[in-house]
Amino acid sequence: GSTITVNGNGCLLTYNSSNSAQPWTLGLNGADYMTFNDIYIEALGSTYALACHLWNVADNNAFNTCTITAPNSSGSSSSQVPLSISGSANAPTTSGNCGNYNVFTSCLIEGGYYGVTIYAMTSAPFNVGNNLIGCTVRDFFAYGILNYYHRNFTFSGNTIERPNQGATTTCAGIYLSTQSYG
């Protein structure tokens, strides 16, 4: 398919959501073959803040050297997530046909309750091939990367760190769960 390219040149895309109906700053609802280069995507909502959210079979999208941020969470809202690929238009952790072969390369993903969520189909056809390459996932509250039901996920050359986030009772850099393999 044809690709639409957005060259951000470091420009800021920001949104302060106050409702669950549209919690995202940049939402790709079934959008395919989009490329985003060097754009700053920021969610500011105190409860609802999905900075970059893909759902409804959003396939073959690329994000290169982007900064994707949500508020640093104190654990009060799991709907604050910088990067989410989910089966729902307005939740970061709902199973469904979220998307395949999306690639995030050399991005800074910062803040949020979770840093990255991939929550895919619970049965065939499973979602496959989403990739995080050479990214930094920083200052999340609970999990740097949360992956459910997604297969053949490539996670390579990334840094996961919490230098500015306080103690929490539940924390993992990478959390792979139900049917996550390959």
Side-chain angles (χ1 to χ4, degrees):
S2 298
T3 300
I4 295 174
T5 301
V6 176
N7 289 316
N9 297 315
C11 289
L12 173 64
L13 176 64
T14 187
Y15 179 59
N16 186 354
S17 178
S18 60
N19 67 72
S20 63
Q22 185 181 342
W24 30 265
T25 302
L26 174 65
L28 298 184
N29 176 5
D32 300 333
Y33 297 103
M34 301 281 299
T35 298
F36 295 88
N37 297 317
D38 189 28
I39 189 167
Y40 190 109
I41 305 164
E42 177 183 56
L44 296 172
S46 60
T47 301
Y48 306 105
L50 304 180
C52 181
H53 184 62
L54 286 68
W55 76 98
N56 192 23
V57 200
D59 295 337
N60 298 296
N61 298 293
F63 293 79
N64 304 302
T65 62
C66 295
T67 298
I68 307 169
T69 68
N72 280 344
S73 178
S74 62
S76 60
S77 177
S78 61
S79 292
Q80 292 176 312
V81 180
L83 173 57
S84 50
I85 304 174
S86 168
S88 167
N90 55 10
T93 56
T94 300
S95 64
N97 200 349
C98 60
N100 305 286
Y101 304 108
N102 297 292
V103 180
F104 296 81
T105 306
S106 301
C107 294
L108 172 61
I109 301 163
E110 190 168 39
Y113 187 89
Y114 308 111
V116 177
T117 63
I118 302 176
Y119 221 100
M121 295 283 289
T122 60
S123 60
F126 295 101
N127 294 106
V128 298
N130 291 299
N131 301 302
L132 208 64
I133 311 293
C135 295
T136 298
V137 180
R138 178 183 299 150
D139 288 332
F140 51 90
F141 179 76
Y143 303 134
I145 297 172
L146 174 66
N147 187 359
Y148 273 82
Y149 307 109
H150 184 269
R151 298 175 179 203
N152 301 324
F153 173 58
T154 299
F155 180 74
S156 177
N158 298 290
T159 300
I160 302 172
E161 60 186 1
R162 300 176 75 241
N164 301 306
Q165 188 60 275
T168 179
T169 57
T170 303
C171 185
I174 303 171
Y175 188 90
L176 302 176
S177 192
T178 310
Q179 300 180 23
S180 297
Y181 64 82

